[in-house]
Structures are given as C-alpha cells and as structure tokens.
Amino acid sequence: MKRTGAQMIWECLLREGVETVFGYPGGAILPAYDAMLEYPSIHHVLVRHEQGATHMADGYARASGRVGVAIATSGPGATNMVTGIATAMLDSSPIVCITGQVGSKLIGSDAFQETDVTGVTLPITKHNYLVTRAEDIPRTFREAFYIAQSGRPGPVLIDITKDAQQSTAEFDWEAAAPRLPGYRPDLRALPSEYQRAVELINTAQRPVILAGHGVLISGAMRQLAEFAEKTSTPVALTLLGLGGLPASHALNLGMMGMHGEAWVNNAIQEADLLLAFGMRFDDRVTGNLKTYAPFARKIHIEIDPSELNKNVKVDVGLVGDLREVLDELLPEVAQNEHADWLAHIDEMKGDSAVRDIQNLPDSGQLFAAHVINDLWRLTNGEAIVVTDVGQHQMWEAQYWKHEQPRSLITSAGLGTMGFALPAAVGAKFACPDQEVWVIAGDGGFQMTMAELATIAQEKIKINVAIINNGYLGMVRQWQEFFYERRYAATPLFSPDFVKLTEAFGLKGMLVTERGQVKSAVDEARAHPGTVVMEFRVEQEDTVFPMVPAGADLNAMIRRPKPEAEVTAVQTEVAAVQTEVEW
Ligand SMILES: Cc1cc2nc3c(=O)[nH]c(=O)nc-3n(C[C@H](O)[C@H](O)[C@H](O)COP(=O)(O)OP(=O)(O)OC[C@H]3O[C@@H](n4cnc5c(N)ncnc54)[C@H](O)[C@@H]3O)c2cc1C
Ligand SMILES: Cc1ncc(C[n+]2csc(CCOP(=O)(O)OP(=O)(O)O)c2C)c(N)n1
C-alpha cells in the first residue's frame, strides 16, 4: 500500500507495539505530526522541553523493559534531546528518538533550524540514521527498534528529512526486515571458558557476586538467587543492580562502591573470587583500580565484549546474555558452604548499624535519610521510585530497601540532574497501576520542573518528594570534605514550591518536622492528583560512607560516632587525603 513517509512513521510505531510517544512539534517534523491525527490509538504526550521527552521515554523503558519513544523537530528540538540521549546511553536504556530534519536538498546549507544531529549524537547513540527517502523508513524503524533492545540496549536516533516525510512510497512491512550483517548481539562463550569458570567457582573460599544492571535487563533475578544460594555466595549490588536480588534476601549485602556500605567494599577487597554479573566496573564502583580486589580472581559475565578487560582485567570472560549463561552454569557449579566467610562479613558490619542515622535519637530535626526511610516504610516499599542526582539519590539507595527489579529508576552513569520528574512521567505511562514516587533535590527539581505542566495536562498521579536542603547538596559535601568548606555557588535559592505547584493546578505540601511526615505522606497518597511535597531538611548533612574519587575502595570516610561527629570526620578525611591526589 502507498503511504506518505509521515504516515509510515506511525504505521511503523503501531507495528512495533508503541502505545505512547513523548514529543514536541516544530517545522521539520510537522508532516509527521499532521499524520499523527490519523493514528489516535497512539497517545502523544506533549512535553515542555525535549529533554523531558527523552527522559520520559527512558523512564518508560526502564520501568517496562520496552522501547521508549521520543519525537522532536530539527535544530534546537533535536539538540535539546542530547542530554537525555546521553543519559540513556550511559545506562544502557532502549529508546528510539525521532527527529525532523530540513529538506534533503538543503542539508549542509545552514538552513533554518538545521543541525547535523546524527553527527552530534554519533558518540552517544548505539546507532543513528539519517533518512532522506520515504521508502527507507520501514526498514530503518525495524532496524532501530531491533538495535535499541537487542544485545546491550541503548538509544537509537532516526533523523528524517521533511521531504522524506512528505513524499509517497510503497509501504511493505514484511519486506523491510532488518539487514544488519555486521551486528552480532548473540555472541556466545566457548565451552572451555565455562569449564574454567566452574573450576574457579567450585574452589573459591571467599567469593562475592557483583550484581549489576544486566541482571534486570536480562531478567536473571531467579537465576541470580539460585546461583547465590547454591554456591553460598554473598551478593553486592551496583546502584543500577538494586532490586536484582530482594534487599531482604539473606545473601544480599547491599550496594558497593563510593557510597556503598563499608562491609560491602571490605568484602570485595578481601574476596578471592569476584563474579561480575552484568556490571561494567564503573569508577564509582572500583575506586583505585591499582588496588582493587587485589586477592581476587575475576569472572565477568557480559553481553558486550568491549566491556571485558576494559577497566578491570579478568581471568575468565563469558560473553552472552546473563540469564542464558547462568542457566548453563547453574547445573555445573557445586553446592557449597562458605559459613566462615559469611560470618566474617557479618562481623565486619560491626557497629555500623548503631552509627546509622536511623538510630540517632529523634531530636525533632528532619534528616533526608529519615524522610526517605519513612517513605519506604509508609509505602511498604511497593512503589516505583525515580530519583534525581545527588545526596538524596545515595540516601535513597541506602535507605529504601528494594525488593523488586525495576523499582528504582535513576540516572547513574551520566548522573543527570533534572532526570527524575520527567522519567517518572514515563514510568507512570508504562505502569499506570503502580504508585510512582519522585525523590529529587531542590537543585535537580528546578532543572525540569516545567514538566509539572505536562503532568497537569495529562492528569496523571505522581507523588513528588523534594528534599530541600538549601544547597546543591552533593557538591556542597565535596566542598566540605575537600575544599575546606568554601561553598562556592552551592547555596541555592528556591521558589515557594507549594505555591509553584498550586500555580500548575496541583497540590503542594510543606513538611518541616519529623512528626509531620506520616500524616502528610498519607494525605498525599490519598489525594487523587499529583502532589509535590517539600521536605525542609537539615542543610549540612552528609552521605556516609564515602570513598573519595580515585581512592582505594576500602579507604572510606566512615559514618562518625554520634558524640564525636566533626572531629571524627576531619580525621578520616585527613587520613584519606594523604593517600589520594586531587
Ligand atoms: C552521585 C552518584 C554516585 C554514585 N555512587 C555509586 C556507588 O556508590 N555505587 C554504585 O554501584 N554506583 C554508583 N553510581 C553509579 C555508577 O556511576 C554507575 O552508573 C553504576 O555503578 C553502573 O552500574 P552497572 O555497571 O550495574 O550498570 P550499567 O552501567 O548499566 O552496565 C550494565 C552492564 O551490563 C551489561 N549487560 C546489559 N545487558 C546484559 C545482559 N542481558 N547480559 C549480560 N550483561 C548485560 C552491559 O553491557 C553493561 O556492561 C553513582 C552515580 C552517581 C550519579
Ligand atoms: C545537569 C547536571 N549539572 C551538574 C551536575 C553536578 N552535580 C551533581 S550532584 C549536584 C547537586 C545536586 O543538588 P540537589 O539537586 O539539590 O540534590 P542534593 O545533592 O542536595 O540531594 C550537582 C550540581 C549534575 N550531576 N548534573
């Protein structure tokens, strides 16, 4: 059948099962928008900034595991997408971004709103396309969706010239099957590598599993739990791996890395075998590579061969989908007990629990960690939490105990402030029956708060907790530790968030004391529309523990004992500073 290029875009989206797209119109994408009216079964969410559209598509993808779709015009519309595309790229999130482009005859002439967006996004997309002919649209879309979600997922951009949208061609979906001879998302490890891995696993005395985002992406939660239980191996998780093994599981140690708990990092440093399951040894996870896990043999199970030996040299690399590789390994590995090792890790937890902020006497002060932990309790931990970036993000990782995969959505690799609110919109569209909470700082929230208008227009229900500490908190913390408390450009003015929210026709609430938290959260959850809650928390509060950037993983600045807070921190910072170059 004959179709215009503009119609083909929607025909393709329909066939890919797309129900919702997030976008913003403009001249070069107008033919596509005009054709959209013929396809009412696809819901278009009009965003307030194209960055919001990409984060929404990303949030949709992370909550559902399906491809998220964002659409924008050429030039400024397309370049506004760049941060969202890079965010998805760093966290392996499958999104497809569609941009309009100037007419093909105008390309290269600095035409109105012309940007070489395939050039701009080349390093931050898994793949991208410039389409100049209508007949190429079906194959391009089929390839783009296939690439975005197969192998290691990631963002794909399709830039379509205005004339390609306007011209007419034959639309044949069946004939447009992907032709990608050079793309190999299905590589497999050799039997000899499996054998070597099994030997190392069966003879290890102090093994630790490092479970990452790949567990969630491949859906290997059951296999991870079975493997850990059969081999009696404790599991440390990356930020993006949280929820891959229930937090309440006896073998779950918690988060590793810069703000991971001390016993987790110490266990990694003492381990004789690390089993990296779908994680990429980010520098926030390893600290100083020269001293990282010095006694450990390393096995890395990874779908992207370019990740093997990239940061950490490994003894065995098993390329493949984690779930499939674990299915192969599970019958081969021996049932084991590591009672002494597990007891030793328990001992390392030591007095951490009593130092925990949750155990401080309630002085009436409102700490961010209190708020987040209270939210977790009050929701029974059953919500999807979408965080922004900063201190609140780390407290969320520490104090919200994730039992389910895909219950935490956060920008980890790029650390994109402004991510949370729009990503939560995407998550809500993906999972309309689930309770969705945003946890954001006063800084990050202000970056994309215009999306409150999108929320109001769409009449969706999200709960937003702004953790307002009056600072760009995480940067202030670095200044406190490493720049002698010179707070350059981190004290932060904020608007009256309650009035601001009300201006969008939504409900705003202010909480200043711990005693108000429960009733306020109950009221917010019962309210049918979106509620923005501002929690005014302690201003100079600190995320502990902390491995300073580039320091050894076990050179942590620890949570101070309550009675000696300031001096204890200063001594620990000084001790670590002598070893690290800034
Ligand atoms: C302020 C801040 C502080 C941070 N502090 C910490 C911290 O303390 N601890 C921490 O852990 N992180 C921290 N991070 C996040 C950190 O920067 C990394 O983004 C994170 O550790 C990456 O986790 P990952 O390797 O599991 O996930 P990803 O970066 O998503 O990597 C996943 C890996 O799994 C592979 N994979 C994908 N699919 C499959 C499959 N089907 N089968 C097998 N493999 C697959 C991919 O190829 C990739 O290599 C912090 C971030 C911020 C912004
Ligand atoms: C877009 C962007 N700009 C700058 C940064 C650097 N940065 C990381 S954390 C942070 C402070 C965040 O402050 P806030 O949103 O108030 O959260 P808090 O740390 O106080 O919880 C900044 C500026 C970033 N991650 N992203």
Side-chain angles (χ1 to χ4, degrees), residues 349-360:
K349 291 184 183 169
D351 66 352
S352 298
V354 289
R355 293 202 213 178
D356 196 307
I357 191 164
Q358 287 298 320
N359 293 307
L360 293 180

Side-chain angles (χ1 to χ4, degrees), residues 144-348:
F145 274 78
Y146 175 61
I147 292 171
Q149 58 196 318
S150 56
R152 179 180 187 165
V156 179
L157 179 131
I158 310 173
D159 195 28
I160 312 176
T161 60
K162 195 164 183 179
D163 51 323
Q165 297 170 54
Q166 286 164 326
S167 57
T168 302
E170 190 63 26
F171 178 78
D172 186 347
W173 181 251
E174 299 309 321
R179 282 198 305 264
L180 296 161
Y183 178 56
R184 298 287 316 279
D186 52 358
L187 294 173
R188 304 252 151 151
L190 299 170
S192 58
E193 289 163 335
Y194 274 103
Q195 213 180 330
R196 176 98 180 99
V198 170
E199 278 162 25
L200 291 179
I201 293 163
N202 289 349
T203 53
Q205 305 289 315
R206 300 186 307 280
V208 175
I209 293 170
L210 309 176
H213 197 192
V215 175
L216 279 59
I217 295 171
S218 82
M221 286 72 69
R222 183 178 57 78
Q223 286 78 357
L224 167 63
E226 277 180 29
F227 188 98
E229 286 160 14
K230 185 171 183 190
T231 60
S232 191
T233 305
V235 181
L237 296 107
T238 66
L239 176 62
L240 289 180
L242 294 177
L245 185 72
S248 58
H249 193 288
L251 288 166
N252 189 326
L253 296 181
M255 189 171 78
M256 65 182 96
M258 179 176 271
H259 293 293
E261 292 298 348
W263 66 83
V264 187
N265 291 339
N266 286 333
I268 290 169
Q269 290 303 85
E270 291 183 22
D272 69 353
L273 179 67
L274 291 185
L275 292 141
F277 288 179
M279 55 81 74
R280 62 179 173 85
F281 292 108
D282 181 86
D283 54 78
R284 287 285 182 273
V285 157
T286 60
N288 182 1
L289 282 171
K290 289 201 186 94
T291 57
Y292 180 65
F295 311 112
R297 298 290 187 85
K298 286 138 194 137
I299 298 173
H300 196 175
I301 306 179
E302 178 46 72
I303 204 158
D304 178 354
S306 71
E307 286 295 341
L308 296 178
N309 298 306
K310 187 181 89 177
N311 296 333
V312 169
K313 189 156 169 19
V314 296
D315 297 272
V316 182
L318 296 176
V319 179
D321 172 67
L322 179 65
R323 187 157 45 121
E324 290 174 13
V325 175
L326 289 181
D327 277 336
E328 296 269 335
L329 277 177
L330 262 166
E332 305 301 323
V333 294
Q335 185 97 29
N336 221 327
E337 296 290 337
H338 295 294
D340 291 350
W341 175 227
L342 295 175
H344 174 63
I345 295 174
D346 258 353
E347 232 170 75
M348 287 198 286

